[in-house]
Amino acid sequence: MNKAIFKLFRLGLIAAVVLLFPIALSSADRSKKTPAAQGPQSAGEKIFHSNCAMCHNADSTKDKLGPGLQGLFKNKELPKSHKPATEENVRTQIEKGSPHAKPMGMPAFKGKLTPSQIDDLIAYLKTL
Ligand code: HEC
């Protein structure tokens, strides 16, 4: 009697493993795919929306509080300082900001964003 129950239990266990294994696999697959599909660019997009979008348009060159950043890296020059539109100059702008610009300054983001967040952000800015 006990043996039969044990057998039944074991069968159930095997059935459960066989049934659940593909589900576990496919959900593991999904969790792997999601961040890869988003990639650094959409991480950068999120960083942009929570730190920059209140002052900068991403889809226009029109000024908001700061200049619109559409085509930032496609132009030769940065919109305000007219420095070359290089990754280095944009990184410096993000890290140091323009605290003394008139009539409106830009805060420095060094210490607020990690270097890898700034990398993600720059990858996103390159897509604009
Ligand atoms: C509080 C508003 C504000 C926020 C937030 C802000 N900026 Fe700015 N940004 C400005 C202003 C104002 C200027 C123009 C400064 C000037 O006249 O030199 C500017 C200028 C710039 C420039 C052009 C610099 C140049 O040399 O022409 C870039 C690029 C830029 N910001 C990127 C960013 C990014 C990326 C973020 C988010 C991490 C950000 N800004 C957050 C207000 C802001």
Side-chain angles (χ1 to χ4, degrees):
M1 187 57 184
N2 264 349
K3 254 190 183 169
I5 290 173
F6 182 63
K7 249 189 185 169
L8 218 73
F9 178 66
R10 220 173 43 179
L11 262 176
L13 211 69
I14 291 169
V17 168
V18 167
L19 283 174
L20 291 178
F21 196 57
I23 297 172
L25 264 188
S26 74
S27 68
D29 216 14
R30 230 176 295 138
S31 65
K32 249 189 257 154
K33 264 183 202 147
T34 319
Q38 286 177 344
Q41 266 139 29
S42 71
E45 190 170 355
K46 282 188 197 141
I47 294 165
F48 183 87
H49 281 286
S50 31
N51 295 280
C52 322
M54 58 287 231
C55 295
H56 293 285
N57 291 314
D59 55 357
S60 146
T61 53
K62 285 204 186 108
D63 283 3
K64 207 168 180 182
L65 292 176
L69 299 182
Q70 187 188 41
L72 183 67
F73 279 99
K74 297 185 178 78
N75 301 324
K76 278 201 186 130
E77 297 181 338
L78 297 180
K80 288 284 174 190
S81 64
H82 303 289
K83 288 181 197 157
T86 60
E87 182 165 334
E88 203 190 326
N89 287 336
V90 171
R91 188 179 296 272
T92 305
Q93 175 68 27
I94 295 168
E95 287 177 349
K96 298 196 173 153
S98 319
H100 306 297
K102 296 266 157 39
M104 172 81 206
M106 168 169 159
F109 284 87
K110 199 179 174 118
K112 288 190 219 162
L113 296 174
T114 65
S116 91
Q117 283 178 312
I118 295 178
D119 289 344
D120 288 348
L121 181 56
I122 288 175
Y124 169 67
L125 293 173
K126 286 182 174 170
T127 69
L128 299 184

